[in-house]
Amino acid sequence: MTLQSHARFITIEGGEGAGKSTVLAALREFLLARGFEVVSTREPGGTPLAEQIRSLLLDTHHEPPAVETELLLVFAARAQHVREVIVPALQRGAWVISDRFTDSSYAYQGAGRGLDAGFIADLERRVVGIEPGITLLLDIGVAHGRERARGRDLAPGASGPDRIEREHDHFFERVRDGFLARAQAEPRRFRIIDATQSAEAVAAQALSHLRALADT
Ligand code: T5A
């Protein structure tokens, strides 16, 4: 089975603290102002069940999952998210913007944890079946991204770094390389954005890519 690509399905990817949430808000505003229905969502998560799986994955208090368990949990959440939220929204003509999707599994569980990309591709075909029309990859050096994430995690009221955010820099270097390798392999779908720029400049670049899509 080949993956079905959807032009109105946008994903935002990148390492920790790249600024995905910030870009997502800008894209959403742009589309809403043009009168479109927009579903903005995130992974792992996006449905009540998938959000519970997210808590299991990121929790720091309980038994850490084995790497295979981690992979299967992100795909279990995604299976639910695709069927309950993403596909129904696309079918009624809405735009869907997701903060992370399957590329994160290739980067984190594949490149980061060392799991076989062929196994991930098999799960993607059997369990997911769809892919975004465009993926914005916010690229930033590991130290810089982690510094931003730390600033947010240590703010008053924040819950502190989650289980994956506690990984060492080498892990995040592999994740970054994994994302860049995917972008290189699929240049038609990916747009790489230099996420070290100001939030305004990053949002403007993301919007220019979206404008090109929305006007076609
Ligand atoms: N995961 C996920 C997997 O392992 N496999 C999978 O298949 C999937 C789907 C949760 C974790 O799950 C893992 C990866 C993750 O570890 P998440 O909720 O996306 O995923 O968590 P994070 O990657 O930790 O997302 P972050 O919340 O850190 O990053 P964002 O959304 O990219 O960053 P954002 O927008 O919150 O910004 C971070 C801080 O920087 C500031 C913001 O104000 C904020 O304080 N900021 C900027 N500052 C200066 N200049 C800019 N351009 C800025 N942009 C944002």
Side-chain angles (χ1 to χ4, degrees):
M1 190 176 88
T2 55
L3 300 174
Q4 197 180 353
S5 174
H6 291 269
R8 289 186 172 202
F9 180 26
I10 305 167
T11 56
I12 308 172
E13 299 279 5
E16 311 296 300
K20 294 177 283 88
S21 329
T22 314
V23 166
L24 191 148
L27 299 184
R28 180 184 165 80
E29 285 310 308
F30 171 85
L31 289 168
L32 287 175
R34 294 194 159 202
F36 292 114
E37 184 195 350
V38 183
V39 173
S40 38
T41 186
R42 69 171 182 181
E43 287 212 345
T47 82
L49 178 58
E51 289 289 332
Q52 285 193 39
I53 297 172
R54 177 190 178 93
S55 305
L56 288 175
L57 274 163
L58 301 182
D59 180 80
T60 52
H61 299 104
H62 300 299
E63 172 192 358
V67 292
E68 292 79 4
T69 310
E70 185 179 270
L71 177 71
L72 294 171
L73 283 174
V74 291
F75 270 95
R78 184 165 300 128
Q80 192 71 10
H81 188 209
V82 165
R83 285 159 185 77
E84 294 299 316
V85 174
I86 298 177
V87 167
L90 293 170
Q91 281 175 344
R92 60 175 190 267
W95 285 79
V96 176
I97 313 173
S98 186
D99 182 337
R100 299 193 183 280
F101 196 60
T102 313
D103 293 303
S104 279
S105 301
Y106 284 99
Y108 282 79
Q109 284 67 49
R113 304 278 192 223
L115 290 176
D116 178 29
F119 180 40
I120 299 175
D122 209 24
L123 285 171
E124 182 181 26
R125 277 190 301 272
R126 289 167 187 269
V127 171
V128 181
I130 61 167
E131 67 175 1
I134 186 168
T135 298
L136 304 177
L137 173 58
L138 306 189
D139 182 51
I140 188 167
V142 169
H144 193 166
R146 295 197 89 177
E147 190 186 305
R148 280 189 193 165
R150 223 175 351 257
R152 183 205 49 208
D153 292 342
L154 296 178
S159 51
D162 63 40
R163 185 181 60 84
I164 296 180
E165 282 172 331
R166 293 175 189 210
E167 285 293 340
H168 50 79
D169 283 356
H170 298 306
F171 172 80
F172 291 111
E173 295 288 359
R174 294 196 296 273
V175 169
R176 184 185 185 197
D177 291 346
F179 274 129
L180 290 170
R182 284 192 66 72
Q184 209 169 16
E186 289 189 63
R188 285 178 55 172
R189 175 164 68 86
F190 275 90
R191 306 286 183 278
I192 302 177
I193 297 177
D194 173 4
T196 62
Q197 305 172 90
S198 70
E200 294 72 25
V202 172
Q205 215 177 320
L207 280 174
S208 73
H209 293 307
L210 177 58
R211 218 171 266 123
L213 246 192
D215 291 341
T216 53

